[in-house]
Amino acid sequence: MITHDISGLKIPDSKLARDVTEFIRDTESDLLFHHSVRVYFWGAMTGNRTGLTFDPELLYAASMFHDVGLTARYHESQLRFEVDGANAARDFLRGHGISESDVETVWNAVALHTTPGIPEFMRPEIALVQAGAGMDVAGRGYDQFSDVEREAVISAFPREEDFKRGIIDAFYEGMKHRPHSTFGTFNDDVLAFKDPAFQRADMCSVILTSKWAS
């Protein structure tokens, strides 16, 4: 079990958290696993700094499952990878007797973490997963963390060499077989960056070429 104390924060010491850690450790690459742990700490730090009341166990579960849909077991799926991860989290939590209300919170946190403009207005756990993921991948909110906080997290869970390109590669490998699923999020940016032949969907063209006469 991971026991690091970072800025007064720890991963919840519960059977559920231990089981989540074991499952994700066995499922994800080192890059995705370490990224997911960092997402939890960035999210929890953000929650503490902004005065949000959140359930650390639910935040941890959602953080750890948020990128499971990118893994090899979903390379035949045509769903959005976020939905695959949300469904996996739902099934896992139900298997551990978690209430349906809490399962729904985690499902939404995972499913909506790449959808801008919505999660920040929902339950804290949902908002904080997106905040943590945005911080770790895109540096959103970077300057809101102190040097000490950033160094503590990275020291405990280092970013792999050239993490920036590594995470783009992980996104691409998890989505290249289902390009249509990227419509409506920034995920199509990944496919366009990695594949020059990728054709973005254009909502205006969809509207203008629909079967409606006018």
Side-chain angles (χ1 to χ4, degrees), residues 11-12 16-17 20-21 23-24 28 32-33 35-41 43-44 54-69 81-82 84-90 92-93 98 101-114 119 123-133:
I11 291 170
L16 175 63
V20 166
T21 300
F23 179 84
I24 300 300
E28 291 187 343
L32 287 179
F33 177 79
H35 159 62
S36 296
V37 180
R38 292 195 303 269
V39 166
Y40 166 74
F41 280 103
F54 60 92
D55 184 322
E57 196 173 53
L58 297 184
L59 178 60
Y60 182 68
S63 298
M64 297 306 288
F65 271 94
H66 85 282
D67 277 344
V68 161
F81 87 86
E82 306 94 316
D84 281 327
N87 289 343
R90 178 194 60 202
F92 186 93
L93 294 177
I98 303 304
S101 175
D102 287 345
V103 169
E104 182 180 8
T105 294
V106 172
W107 195 97
N108 283 323
V110 176
L112 293 172
H113 81 270
T114 64
R123 286 191 56 170
E125 296 84 3
I126 301 170
L128 294 175
V129 170
Q130 187 190 54

Side-chain angles (χ1 to χ4, degrees), residues 164-189:
K164 292 178 178 181
R165 290 193 178 270
I167 194 67
I168 290 174
D169 288 344
F171 289 149
Y172 180 66
E173 289 300 317
M175 295 187 291
K176 65 182 181 181
H177 61 287
R178 43 183 163 183
H180 65 279
S181 72
T182 66
F183 180 61
T185 72
F186 49 74
N187 292 328
D188 59 353
D189 291 338

Side-chain angles (χ1 to χ4, degrees), residues 194-206:
K194 295 289 291 185
D195 181 4
F198 173 67
Q199 296 290 319
R200 293 178 187 266
D202 173 26
M203 191 59 194
C204 291
S205 295
V206 171

